[in-house]
């Protein structure tokens, strides 16, 4: 399953950013900025963006920590990491971001290394959510915070119907134009099996996070799980 997910994102990589901009009407930037703010990243911090993809959140963390800070972007998609590295070469990013090709279920970092962390649209795509939260807890410093952004199914039935209509009538047909129908059709079932906000809170508490809050955003089509160690 892990390889299948990695292959999906390796295939999406060439059009990932463009489709996200079009399909979210540019709104994904706002959702990601909220996530970075909720991570509590501040000047001089050492931070990590898990499942970084093309690096949107990592670049945002770099703006917050400044040139005295450090930022790591971690992903197992070589193609999306290459897209992130290409972007880093074209934009003067301070501090330089370290791009690590690795599985977030087995992070190549010491315990207690990070002051803050982000994870954008990653938790729903890992094969073991509990393990991913355990690894995140392990690498955070005591008192550190992480902000985890992802889609979920809205509680309101009309909004749920809109989200499903948008996915099936807008997202998948547009992806099909790029030969990526199956890759984007994967989103809907991934939402069906993803824990609700309340269930995410419980999972985070089970791995040891002491302060846990789930903030619904985008009319409850998404949420940001904010956890502190
Ligand atoms: C940045 C966004 C999605 C990232 C993303 C997450 C995944 O799990 C994927 C899985 C497989 C293929 C691609 C992705 C993927 O790109 C959010 C913007 C892109 C969304 C696909 C657009 C869907 C947004 C909401 C369902 C509806 C928003 C409606 C509003 C009127 C903008
Ligand atoms: C939808 S993309 C999100 C990318 C980026 N965070 C963003 O907000 O645009 C999901 C990313 O998670 C990565 N991913 C999924 N499972 C992973 C795992 N076990 N280890 C590392 N990366 C993983 C995929 O390769 C992909 O880049």
């Amino acid at each position: 399953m892990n390889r299948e997910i990695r292959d999906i994102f390796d295939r999406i990589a060439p059009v990932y950013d463009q489709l996200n901009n079009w399909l979210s009407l540019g709104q994904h930037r706002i959702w990601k900025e909220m996530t970075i703010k909720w991570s509590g990243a501040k000047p001089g911090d050492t931070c990590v963006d898990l499942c970084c993809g093309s690096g949107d959140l990592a670049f945002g963390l770099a703006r917050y920590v400044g040139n005295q800070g450090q930022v790591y972007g971690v992903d197992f998609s070589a193609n999306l990491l290459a897209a992130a590295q290409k972007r880093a070469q074209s934009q003067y990013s301070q501090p330089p971001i370290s791009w690590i090709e690795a599985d977030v279920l087995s992070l190549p970092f010491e315990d207690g290394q990070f002051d803050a962390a982000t994870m954008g649209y990653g938790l729903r795509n890992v094969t073991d959510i509990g393990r991913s939260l355990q690894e995140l807890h392990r690498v955070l410093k005591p008192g550190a915070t992480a902000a985890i952004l992802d889609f979920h199914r809205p509680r309101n039935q009309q909004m749920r119907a809109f989200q499903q209509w948008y996915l099936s009538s807008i997202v998948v047909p547009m992806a099909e134009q790029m030969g990526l129908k199956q890759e984007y059709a994967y989103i809907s079932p991934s939402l069906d099996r993803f824990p609700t906000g309340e269930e995410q809170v419980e999972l985070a508490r089970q791995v040891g996070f002491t302060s846990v809050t789930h903030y619904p955003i985008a009319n409850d089509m998404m949420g940001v799980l904010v956890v502190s160690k």
Side-chain angles (χ1 to χ4, degrees), residues 9 16 32 51-53 75-77 80 102-104 120-121 125-126:
F9 289 103
Y16 179 75
K32 291 173 180 175
C51 297
C52 66
D75 204 293
F76 66 9
S77 165
L80 274 170
D103 190 328
V104 296
Y121 305 103
N125 290 302
V126 300

Side-chain angles (χ1 to χ4, degrees), residues 9 12 16 20 24 121 124-125 151 166 183-184 186-187:
F9 289 103
I12 288 175
Y16 179 75
N20 281 346
S24 70
Y121 305 103
R124 182 173 37 86
N125 290 302
F151 285 120
Y166 194 89
E183 289 77 0
Y184 279 77
Y186 154 86
I187 295 176

Side-chain angles (χ1 to χ4, degrees), residues 92-106:
Y92 183 65
S93 157
Q94 278 299 330
I97 297 166
S98 302
W99 305 105
I100 314 289
E101 186 175 341
D103 190 328
V104 296
L105 300 181
S106 180

Side-chain angles (χ1 to χ4, degrees), residues 53-192:
S54 55
D56 280 352
L57 287 161
F59 288 112
L61 287 171
R63 283 186 283 109
Y64 274 65
V65 303
N67 56 18
Q68 299 305 310
Q70 264 192 299
V71 176
Y72 294 82
V74 180
D75 204 293
F76 66 9
S77 165
N79 291 352
L80 274 170
L81 273 183
Q85 288 166 315
K86 187 176 178 187
R87 265 175 74 179
Q89 285 158 9
S90 62
Q91 63 186 49
Y92 183 65
S93 157
Q94 278 299 330
I97 297 166
S98 302
W99 305 105
I100 314 289
E101 186 175 341
D103 190 328
V104 296
L105 300 181
S106 180
L107 288 168
F109 301 115
E110 296 297 319
D111 296 1
Q113 190 167 334
F114 297 105
D115 299 291
T118 53
M119 191 173 193
Y121 305 103
L123 194 64
R124 182 173 37 86
N125 290 302
V126 300
T127 54
D128 185 337
I129 293 173
R131 174 95 183 115
S132 185
L133 290 171
Q134 276 176 336
E135 273 293 88
L136 172 61
H137 184 271
R138 179 182 68 79
V139 300
L140 287 174
K141 292 178 181 177
T145 296
I148 302 166
L149 164 67
D150 222 317
F151 285 120
H152 58 241
R153 289 292 190 198
R155 283 156 291 192
N156 175 283
Q157 286 309 310
Q158 286 78 14
M159 193 48 67
R160 197 185 185 98
F162 170 76
Q163 183 190 61
Q164 188 51 45
W165 170 83
Y166 194 89
L167 287 168
S168 50
S169 305
I170 306 291
V171 173
V172 172
M174 183 173 283
E176 188 172 16
Q177 298 299 314
M178 309 253 184
L180 294 165
K181 177 179 180 180
Q182 289 315 315
E183 289 77 0
Y184 279 77
Y186 154 86
I187 295 176
S188 184
S190 78
L191 287 174
D192 291 335

